Amino acid sequence: MKVIWKIALLFVILLGLFYLMDTRVKENKPLESPVKHGTAIPVPEKDLNSQVVGTERPDQGLSVLVGQSTATLLKKYGDPDRIEPSAYGYDWWIYGNELHFMAGVSGDLVNQVFSSDHLANVLPFSIGQDVNEVYRSTIIESEVDVQLGSNLYMFSLKSEDIANRALVKFMGLYAQIYVDEEDGIIEGIRFIDPETLVIHQPYDMEYSGEMIRVQPPSAAMQIEVDRAMERQVFELTNEYRKNHGLTELKNDYWLGILAREHSKDMALENYFSNESPSTGTLGDRLKSSDISHRKAGENIAFNYVDAIEAVHGWLNSSAHRQVLLGEDFTHLGTGVYGKYYTQDFIQTDSKKIESLNWNVE
């Protein structure tokens, strides 16, 4: 009988070890944007008709900034914490003190604002609002048009777009409603002007007339854009975690380098996977970089418009969400290279891991 008990105990211990080995490092399948950017379809003018009449735009809240001068933005909210470039020719003004929001600035005009802060006035919506209230009070269409002069652009929203990235048309303004599908609440709102929406092309699109083209960033500018998106992915991740009652993660410099190198490796070696042909799995990469951890996780994404869209994509993918909102993680590193995004998470009690300032070189 004692032998049987010893065998049973050994079996349980082995099962526990296999479980810990299997779950200590969590790697998800890559997440690709549902929209293939740069594939807008030109159609004859007679086949496209303006269908959605925009409702009156809000007269208060962050949305009123869109189309206003930077002087108005500065007068109301003061200097931003920082100004960062985007891949689309405009700059992001980042505010993160009393109120967290991002404003896109082209020239001296605001072209969009985004916030996931519960304190933000995003009328006629609110962060944390039950999305069913929005569906009852707002017309949500599967086809939404943008008219720019003689050019017409038609966005086609799939069922999953309507469920978690609905597009609402106002007069001279559009709102992208970022929904947490699992909790059924609004996680963030982006108010955006018509031209910038077309430039982003965040949904499948057909058009008649001329397509708006944006000059790609130079190689030097692309590096700055990548570093900016790394910071934005990091901050948006912590904002979403805070909204879900979780502790914010600390930035780890070396973990960020690890994530950045994986994004770069995917881009240059033309693959899309958590496992690199040259550096192996996340576990392999952490080991070779001598990054101590009790638990680790990784999310990667490809071809999203920007950091806002990428983080939202992870939130609404069950497996990626488990990592993004993992309760045990303590540190995060983010890496962006062009359209490749990587998040590396670890849980550690090591005092060697320090929260360091961003490397902008």
Side-chain angles (χ1 to χ4, degrees), residues 201-212:
Q201 194 191 318
Y203 311 93
D204 290 333
M205 188 176 80
E206 296 178 333
Y207 69 97
S208 65
E210 297 293 326
M211 185 61 194
I212 302 176

Side-chain angles (χ1 to χ4, degrees), residues 276-318:
S276 164
S278 57
T279 59
T281 65
L282 172 60
D284 296 330
R285 285 178 267 126
L286 288 167
K287 184 176 181 180
S288 64
S289 299
D290 197 27
I291 297 177
S292 61
H293 61 281
R294 295 175 58 188
K295 186 177 181 180
E298 183 172 73
N299 286 334
I300 63 176
F302 171 63
N303 210 27
Y304 281 88
V305 169
D306 55 19
I308 297 168
E309 293 272 341
V311 175
H312 180 70
W314 284 323
L315 181 72
N316 279 304
S317 169
S318 178

